[in-house]
Amino acid sequence: MKIEIQTDNDGFALLKCQFCGDYYKLRPSDMENDVVLHIHCPYCGQVGNSYLIEEVIEVAMKMAKNFALEQIHQAFKELERKQKRGPVTFKVGKAFQKEYESPILLVVDALVEQHYDCCKRNSKIKPSMKIAGTYCPFCGVKDFGDK
């Protein structure tokens, strides 16, 4: 199974900090880079183990459920086929109705791009935090905003 998360026009994907609950955006290619060991929240600086937002988790759970039910149905169809000529017959009913897997369209357009000199990468953050300063999402160094 593959779940695709839409990116904005600049190639940034929406993430949410599990600690402070704030939204920010990073490029998937930056997050998957082997040089980046952890992702730090640009607002609180914490390293979490999940940055997925609820909508992504919800769609993933529906996809997993639909896949599992389809596999079970196929297994019973195979059993039905094998048991056609025997003392005991087996008839499979209709397949389970799949849950609708809504496309993931995550938009938070109020974020502005922030460049981090330490790692030579960008993120998108709340405009007010550009002045206050943020943590580099890639190395955790505090960046004290626009100079």
Side-chain angles (χ1 to χ4, degrees):
M1 278 188 322
K2 185 176 182 179
I3 301 171
E4 290 191 27
I5 300 172
Q6 295 289 338
T7 58
D8 64 12
N9 292 338
D10 299 322
F12 287 89
L14 184 64
L15 305 172
K16 181 180 180 182
C17 176
Q18 71 186 71
F19 299 107
C20 67
D22 278 328
Y23 293 98
Y24 58 98
K25 292 182 179 183
L26 297 177
R27 286 191 177 100
S29 58
D30 288 338
M31 293 185 293
E32 295 166 358
N33 190 314
D34 291 340
V35 176
V36 178
L37 299 177
H38 304 288
I39 299 295
H40 299 262
C41 172
Y43 307 117
C44 68
Q46 297 291 317
V47 174
N49 56 11
S50 175
Y51 297 97
L52 299 176
I53 52 181
E54 290 82 19
E55 291 84 354
V56 172
I57 295 169
E58 186 178 305
V59 170
M61 294 301 286
K62 285 180 182 179
M63 288 176 76
K65 180 180 177 184
N66 288 340
F67 179 78
L69 291 175
E70 179 64 27
Q71 294 301 308
I72 291 168
H73 183 73
Q74 290 302 322
F76 280 132
K77 289 293 273 181
E78 183 66 22
L79 184 63
E80 175 187 44
R81 189 182 63 75
K82 288 180 180 179
Q83 296 294 327
K84 258 189 176 164
R85 294 194 178 118
V88 177
T89 58
F90 188 78
K91 180 73 176 152
V92 177
K94 293 181 185 177
F96 295 98
Q97 185 169 346
K98 290 185 175 186
E99 285 195 47
Y100 176 66
E101 299 167 6
S102 59
I104 302 169
L105 302 172
L106 307 170
V107 179
V108 174
D109 288 331
L111 302 177
V112 295
E113 203 160 334
Q114 172 69 35
H115 178 73
Y116 296 94
D117 287 330
C118 53
C119 292
K120 307 288 187 258
R121 291 188 169 96
N122 294 346
S123 72
K124 284 193 175 180
I125 58 171
K126 295 187 284 188
S128 61
M129 294 305 288
K130 241 179 135 67
I131 298 166
T134 57
Y135 295 91
C136 173
F138 310 103
C139 69
V141 170
K142 179 72 174 184
D143 180 88
F144 289 99
D146 290 341
K147 287 131 186 111

